[in-house]
Amino acid sequence: YFDRSGDNSGLDNLKDIYINVAEQKNRGWDLSIRFATGLAGGDLVLETRHNYQVEAVTALFEETARDENGHFGEPKWVGDFSASWSKNDWDLRYGLQYIDDVSSVENFDDGESGTYWGEPVRYVLSADPVMYHNLSAGKSWDNGVSLRLGVSNLLDEEPPVISPFLNVIANSAFYPQYDFYGRRLWLNVTYSTD
């Protein structure tokens, strides 16, 4: 955006709100395993996927490079596991999502110590690992209708509570890895013309 000159309606100040990044580098490894077999007259499928990040460097200018690996928004390890069993036109699914512990303490000169109105306080700048559990069951019919009923975040796990120096909503860590909705029941009905 810009400011107009009062003299000739020209441009006085041009403000660039786009942040250019001089360097961004992420390194890590991915693991994906799938196992399928017959069980109790049906089909059992076990799957797991993991991402382990070893580096997450960002620099707005060349001399400001910082590795945020293991900080909020850049956990070192995230993974999921799912187990599904199907027989005829029924299926059951279980899912688990894992987010590793994170800490942004090193971004603050005084670590987790500070003062508020002259009183000593401890800032919360780290969080323990979080796991979310999900369950669902489905049924399909020959006419193309299928129904799935499930519960997400079965144990009603809340996002970590942290100090407001970081990205928060009402003291909850506001990062894409965390679930902000809590436990929820859902129903999905679909119709296919195939």
Side-chain angles (χ1 to χ4, degrees):
Y1 62 97
F2 55 86
D3 294 329
R4 288 241 181 240
S5 168
D7 297 331
N8 60 9
S9 294
L11 298 180
D12 267 353
N13 296 306
L14 181 63
K15 300 172 185 155
D16 184 5
I17 59 172
Y18 175 75
I19 296 176
N20 196 14
V21 176
E23 177 187 358
Q24 185 172 7
K25 182 164 88 171
N26 291 73
R27 290 185 317 111
W29 53 265
D30 296 325
L31 173 68
S32 180
I33 299 172
R34 183 176 194 272
F35 174 78
T37 188
L39 179 69
D43 297 313
L44 174 68
V45 178
L46 305 175
E47 292 183 272
T48 189
R49 291 165 296 279
H50 300 268
N51 174 270
Y52 187 81
Q53 183 171 255
V54 296
E55 184 178 36
V57 173
T58 303
L60 297 181
F61 305 99
E62 287 185 32
E63 65 276 3
T64 64
R66 212 160 83 180
D67 190 354
E68 297 287 328
N69 192 32
H71 294 210
F72 281 94
E74 296 286 348
K76 288 184 180 181
W77 177 24
V78 293
D80 64 67
F81 168 80
S82 65
S84 63
W85 180 79
S86 59
K87 182 175 180 180
N88 301 327
D89 46 11
W90 285 92
D91 71 270
L92 303 171
R93 292 184 187 165
Y94 165 77
L96 168 74
Q97 180 186 6
Y98 174 83
I99 300 115
D100 202 11
D101 61 330
V102 290
S103 175
S104 294
V105 172
E106 69 184 50
N107 289 350
F108 295 85
D109 293 336
D110 295 329
E112 292 186 327
S113 300
T115 59
Y116 181 75
W117 292 73
E119 294 294 321
V121 295
R122 180 185 163 273
Y123 299 124
V124 180
L125 305 171
S126 57
D128 292 332
V130 175
M131 289 190 289
Y132 298 109
H133 303 269
N134 308 299
L135 288 174
S136 69
K139 167 86 169 110
S140 57
W141 289 270
D142 292 336
N143 64 1
V145 174
S146 62
L147 178 120
R148 177 161 295 282
L149 176 66
V151 61
S152 296
N153 194 355
L154 180 67
L155 302 179
D156 202 22
E157 184 73 32
E158 295 180 357
V161 174
I162 59 175
S163 294
F165 299 109
L166 303 168
N167 193 9
V168 299
I169 291 182
N171 289 345
S172 292
F174 186 60
Y175 294 91
Q177 294 87 8
Y178 301 115
D179 182 323
F180 293 94
Y181 300 107
R183 181 185 309 120
R184 55 205 176 276
L185 186 66
W186 53 269
L187 174 67
N188 186 357
V189 179
T190 58
Y191 175 72
S192 175
T193 59
D194 294 339

